[in-house]
Amino acid sequence: MRTGEPSSVDAWRDASIRSAGLDGPGLDPDLRDPVSLTGTALGADRTWVSVLGPDGVVFKAATWPVAAGGGHSPLTELVHAHGASSANSALAIAAFGDDVALADWDATHWAAVPVRTAEGVVVAALQAAWRKQPDGDPGPLLEVGARLLAHQLDSRRDRSDLAEALEGRRLAAAELDSFFSLSGDLLAVTDTTGTLRRTNRAWVDVLGHTRLELDNMTLFDLVAVEERAAISDALVATEAGTVEARARRADGSYRDLHIAVAVLPGQGTRFLVARDITERNQLARMKAAFIDTVTHELRSPMMSVQGGLAILVRAMGEEDLSPRARELVEIAERSAARLVRFANDVLDVSRMEAGRLPVQLAPVPLAAVFEEALPSLQLAAIASGVTIDVARSPTAWVRADVVRAGQILINLAGNAIKFSPAGATVAVRCEVEGEFWRLEVSDQGPGISEEHCQAVFGQFAQLPGQSGRGGAGLGLHIAQQLVAAHGGLIGVDSELGTGSTFWFTLPRCEPVSPA
């Protein structure tokens, strides 16, 4: 028997023995017939198969009564060690007289061959012994018997592997069923036609239709008519995507669903994960309505205050207002203007989040965008003591919403004016960049560190050192959203102490002749 630590070969052999089902104690009924058939064909007095496993030698089948627990068998160890056919004469057998298979009887000849798995690993020894010399060479018949045994073991291992695989699939299916049953999301398996092959309990809970009703409906039967085209596009797409739609409940009401569609390539199968976002949308609408009301109630009186203060400053002469009084009125006017801008910005952000800030794209001359923005910018520049230098391109045309594109330019240039020192120049330039016109606004302000260049486009962004400059930190965020709605890009190139250049792109287009 083996002693000491097992080698890697032994470990591999032991694993193969376990895989073949030969690691247990006692005889193996499946091997009895191949062993008996081999012994009969050989005319052997004794034929047996034994295994050198982790716990020593174990007999698995024999043509004579043999102890189930095995015993000392140097012959078996010899076959396992060499992995080759072996044969011994009576003289050689004398050296193995203590082998349990040869003890207590007068064997004169012995032969053995290894039994190998399909991978070529020796897992057992098929042996035979005679009282007198066998007729011919027993090796070929023993090899046939070994192949029969190997086939028997491989078939059993295949059945075991198949049973294990089937059990794994059964467990996976059970886990999937549990996931389907317990998920709070609406899960479904469908195809490009919207047929609901499988749905989970959440569909019944959210929409109120019975299981039988759902089994006889398609996804198109559930969604509002005006949203079926979007659902169809999502189902026939070759890549995963999302879509929002209203689904009809059994009582005729509707629920808002956010539907994620996953694609199984090559089979037309689609997996749906839908989430009820009705309450979320209701809260968003309530928020938007609240903001609309608050900003309207704030903006309207503040615009009146701003207008009244502006008239007061400009209409009254030196004899009507003292220098100190005029200064206070001008401060009040600027504060009122800032509150009006803040109300407008908050309202724009709210409308963008709710999808209620339309951008109407059309071919327009780029000059129209400048004309939309310049009056406001020139007033801001004069008030801040800054010069604004605009270089236009008279032949440039873009696909844009003039008012919204002008708002982008106002937000960027207004920001540059605000952060430029008195006497500085804010330059506005435009140039062709591929399929876009690139508009740049350069200032001579303090600049922005590299780590903050992206942060400036966030909502309510306030960078270090900006205190006292005014503004709510929404202008650049609004500009970013409007540029995205135009299909362009926006960014900033800046260095501390040298100023900043904010830029954005608008799609180029061919000039349109007047009708």
Side-chain angles (χ1 to χ4, degrees):
M1 293 180 14
R2 293 175 294 173
T3 59
E5 291 295 325
S7 67
S8 59
V9 174
D10 289 335
W12 178 250
R13 179 180 295 147
D14 292 344
S16 298
I17 289 172
R18 287 193 298 272
S19 176
L22 297 175
D23 56 326
L27 303 176
D28 190 329
D30 291 341
L31 306 184
R32 181 176 53 210
D33 289 344
V35 170
S36 297
L37 181 62
T38 301
T40 300
L42 289 169
D45 295 291
R46 285 188 176 182
T47 310
W48 68 97
V49 62
S50 53
V51 175
L52 179 60
D55 300 322
V57 174
V58 178
F59 285 84
K60 306 306 294 183
T63 57
W64 84 97
V66 62
H72 181 62
S73 179
L75 295 176
T76 299
E77 295 182 19
L78 177 68
V79 178
H80 273 269
H82 293 287
S85 301
S86 301
N88 284 283
S89 65
L91 293 176
I93 286 178
F96 298 102
D98 60 344
D99 191 292
V100 68
L102 301 180
D104 302 327
W105 69 293
D106 52 347
T108 63
H109 290 78
W110 165 81
V113 294
V115 179
R116 302 176 183 272
T117 65
E119 295 80 19
V121 180
V122 177
V123 293
L126 176 61
Q127 305 175 65
W130 295 262
R131 285 190 173 90
K132 62 180 181 178
Q133 183 174 348
D135 297 331
D137 181 8
L141 282 175
L142 272 176
E143 290 287 353
V144 171
R147 285 196 290 272
L148 286 174
L149 288 168
H151 176 73
Q152 186 81 16
L153 295 174
D154 286 338
S155 297
R156 181 164 64 187
R157 186 174 62 171
D158 290 342
R159 291 194 300 272
S160 176
D161 290 345
L162 178 60
E164 184 177 346
L166 290 174
E167 178 64 12
R169 293 186 64 177
R170 186 192 68 79
L171 292 175
E175 290 175 354
L176 181 60
D177 287 341
S178 297
F179 173 70
F180 251 70
S181 301
L182 299 176
S183 175
D185 291 329
L186 288 73
L187 307 180
V189 180
T190 183
D191 54 26
T192 55
T193 67
T195 300
L196 295 174
R197 297 177 182 173
R198 185 178 182 185
T199 57
N200 67 338
R201 176 72 190 182
W203 290 83
V204 176
D205 296 338
V206 172
L207 299 182
H209 300 286
T210 65
R211 174 66 62 190
L212 180 61
E213 289 173 336
L214 288 171
D215 290 343
N216 290 279
M217 300 174 80
T218 69
L219 192 59
F220 297 106
D221 295 328
L222 289 171
V223 300
V225 174
E226 62 272 16
E227 293 167 343
R228 291 176 181 174
I231 292 291
S232 178
D233 291 343
L235 292 179
V236 301
T238 57
E239 296 182 355
T242 60
V243 63
E244 291 191 5
R246 294 183 306 129
R248 180 173 52 82
R249 300 188 75 252
D251 60 7
S253 61
Y254 283 87
R255 305 293 291 181
D256 297 333
L257 299 183
H258 179 274
I259 304 173
V261 183
V263 178
L264 186 62
Q267 299 189 23
T269 300
R270 302 292 185 265
F271 298 106
L272 304 184
V273 180
R275 181 161 295 174
D276 187 354
I277 57 172
T278 306
E279 282 74 20
R280 188 191 76 181
N281 287 351
Q282 287 175 345
L283 288 174
R285 287 190 289 267
M286 291 171 61
K287 171 187 170 184
F290 174 75
I291 292 176
D292 282 355
T293 301
V294 170
T295 52
H296 176 75
E297 293 298 322
L298 174 66
R299 184 175 56 172
S300 296
M302 287 311 303
M303 289 179 68
S304 299
V305 171
Q306 179 190 3
L309 291 171
I311 293 173
L312 182 62
V313 170
R314 289 159 182 77
M316 291 191 172
E318 297 293 337
E319 67 280 1
D320 299 314
L321 285 174
S322 67
R324 179 57 178 163
R326 181 175 294 276
E327 180 185 358
L328 293 175
V329 172
E330 289 174 348
I331 292 173
E333 181 192 5
R334 289 195 297 271
S335 297
R338 186 160 58 247
L339 280 174
V340 171
R341 287 195 302 271
F342 174 71
N344 288 333
D345 287 346
V346 170
L347 189 58
D348 283 346
V349 170
S350 174
R351 287 174 175 173
M352 282 190 294
E353 290 178 346
R356 296 185 293 111
L357 189 68
V359 175
Q360 305 294 333
L361 302 181
V364 295
L366 187 55
V369 176
F370 285 112
E371 291 169 3
E372 175 71 22
L374 281 179
S376 297
L377 294 178
Q378 288 167 344
L379 287 175
I382 292 171
S384 299
V386 172
T387 301
I388 183 163
D389 179 24
V390 180
R392 316 183 193 205
S393 175
T395 60
W397 278 68
V398 292
R399 184 170 179 80
D401 182 316
V402 170
V403 174
R404 298 306 178 190
Q407 184 178 356
I408 299 169
L409 190 54
I410 289 172
N411 286 2
L412 297 188
N415 205 59
I417 292 170
K418 182 169 60 177
F419 287 96
S420 293
T425 298
V426 171
V428 181
R429 300 286 184 266
C430 61
E431 62 181 18
V432 173
E433 186 177 84
E435 297 300 315
F436 295 86
W437 274 98
R438 177 183 172 114
L439 285 76
E440 296 182 348
V441 177
S442 300
D443 63 45
Q444 297 172 308
I448 305 169
S449 65
E450 184 177 353
E451 63 182 303
H452 292 129
C453 279
Q454 288 303 315
V456 296
F457 295 103
Q459 288 192 38
F460 304 105
Q462 295 286 347
L463 301 185
Q466 286 189 357
S467 59
R469 299 281 187 159
L474 290 174
L476 293 179
H477 176 71
I478 293 170
Q480 182 188 51
Q481 300 302 309
L482 291 175
V483 170
H486 280 80
L489 297 174
I490 189 171
V492 59
D493 302 318
S494 185
E495 186 176 342
L496 286 175
T498 62
S500 304
T501 296
F502 283 85
W503 56 267
F504 68 99
T505 60
L506 296 174
R508 294 170 58 194
C509 69
E510 295 297 323
V512 175
S513 301

